[in-house]
Each structure stands twice: as C-alpha cells, then as structure tokens.
C-alpha cells in the first residue's frame, strides 16, 4: 500500500521536470522546478522559477538561454560566480541578484566555495511555448 504514494510522487516529480523544459547541468548540481504559471496579462508569456543548488565546488556547464527568456537570478545561500555574455565574471553572495537578457550565453555559473553549498533561484519570463530554457554550448 505504500507503493502507490511513492509511485504517485515519482510521477508528479517527473511531470514537473518534463513540463519546465531542460537545463544545463554540471557534475553534481541539482535543479528543481519551483514555480510555473502563465502570465494572464501577457498572452503567450510564462513565469518559470527553478532552484539551482551547487554542492561545494560544483557548477553548471556553459549554456545558452532561450531566445525569449529574460532571467532574474537571486542567490539564496552561499556565493555564486557568474559570467554572462562577454561581461566580466562576478561573485554574488547570498541576498544579491542580477539579470540576464534574452538569449544570453552563460559561460560561468558555479559555487565559489569548495566546502559549503550554494543555492540560487532563477526566474524566467519566457515565451510559453519555449520548453528548452537552457541549451549546453558544445
């Protein structure tokens, strides 16, 4: 009888990951869907939030964001180094944030610490039919 709730939880989790598109992962980083909602007064646009947790020393692979995606990133805990497009790399600490323009190339996104985890919240304003939020750069 305990199998049914476990199976249901697995199916719900799988559906959430499938519905929020794909993400560029690095070794050991964890991406969790947080929120997804169509924006009622902006037809064709959605608000999607994901939590990105970086274990000590981990980072995301270089990636490109969807051409329609405006992104707001907020560091929840720890320190995250980020480099967007041709700009300089910058270290953001808990409570700090930045934005990324549509179609941005993200060459660096990683936990600065080798001993403590870091977490950020990435909020996308994106075309509702854009399911590939991030694409690894080859």
């Amino acid at each position: 009888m305990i199998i049914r709730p476990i199976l249901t939880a697995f199916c719900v989790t799988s559906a959430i990951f499938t519905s929020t598109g794909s993400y560029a992962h690095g070794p050991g980083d964890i991406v969790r869907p947080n929120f997804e909602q169509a924006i009622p007064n902006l037809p064709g646009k959605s608000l999607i939030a994901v939590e990105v947790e970086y274990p000590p020393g981990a980072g995301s692979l270089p990636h490109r964001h969807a051409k329609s995606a405006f992104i707001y990133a907020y560091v929840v805990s720890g320190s995250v180094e980020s480099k967007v497009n041709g700009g300089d790399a910058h270290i953001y600490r808990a409570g700090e944030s930045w934005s990324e323009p549509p179609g941005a190339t993200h060459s660096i996104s990683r936990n600065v610490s080798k001993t403590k985890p870091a977490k950020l919240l990435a909020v996308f304003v994106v075309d509702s039919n854009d399911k590939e939020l991030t694409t690894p750069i080859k």
Side-chain angles (χ1 to χ4, degrees), residues 67-115:
K67 290 183 181 187
S68 70
F70 175 80
I71 300 157
Y72 168 76
Y74 176 82
V75 179
V76 175
S77 62
S79 297
V80 175
E81 182 177 20
S82 179
K83 181 176 179 179
V84 178
N85 293 331
D88 294 332
H90 186 82
I91 295 174
Y92 298 91
R93 289 168 179 72
E96 296 181 323
S97 60
W98 70 94
S99 65
E100 300 178 21
T105 298
H106 209 158
S107 57
I108 299 172
S109 184
R110 68 179 188 87
N111 183 353
V112 176
S113 176
K114 302 289 185 210
T115 60

Side-chain angles (χ1 to χ4, degrees), residues 1-78:
M1 301 316 144
I2 193 158
I3 299 296
R4 190 174 202 176
I6 291 171
L7 185 56
T8 301
F10 173 76
C11 290
V12 169
T13 302
S14 297
I16 290 170
F17 273 103
T18 301
S19 71
T20 57
S22 65
Y23 310 98
H25 297 279
D29 62 335
I30 302 161
V31 179
R32 290 185 189 94
N34 180 280
F35 180 84
E36 182 172 359
Q37 176 70 49
I39 303 173
N41 61 338
L42 292 174
K45 294 287 186 182
S46 290
L47 186 69
I48 299 174
V50 297
E51 295 175 16
V52 181
E53 187 175 333
Y54 294 120
S60 297
L61 296 172
H63 56 277
R64 178 171 288 108
H65 291 293
K67 290 183 181 187
S68 70
F70 175 80
I71 300 157
Y72 168 76
Y74 176 82
V75 179
V76 175
S77 62

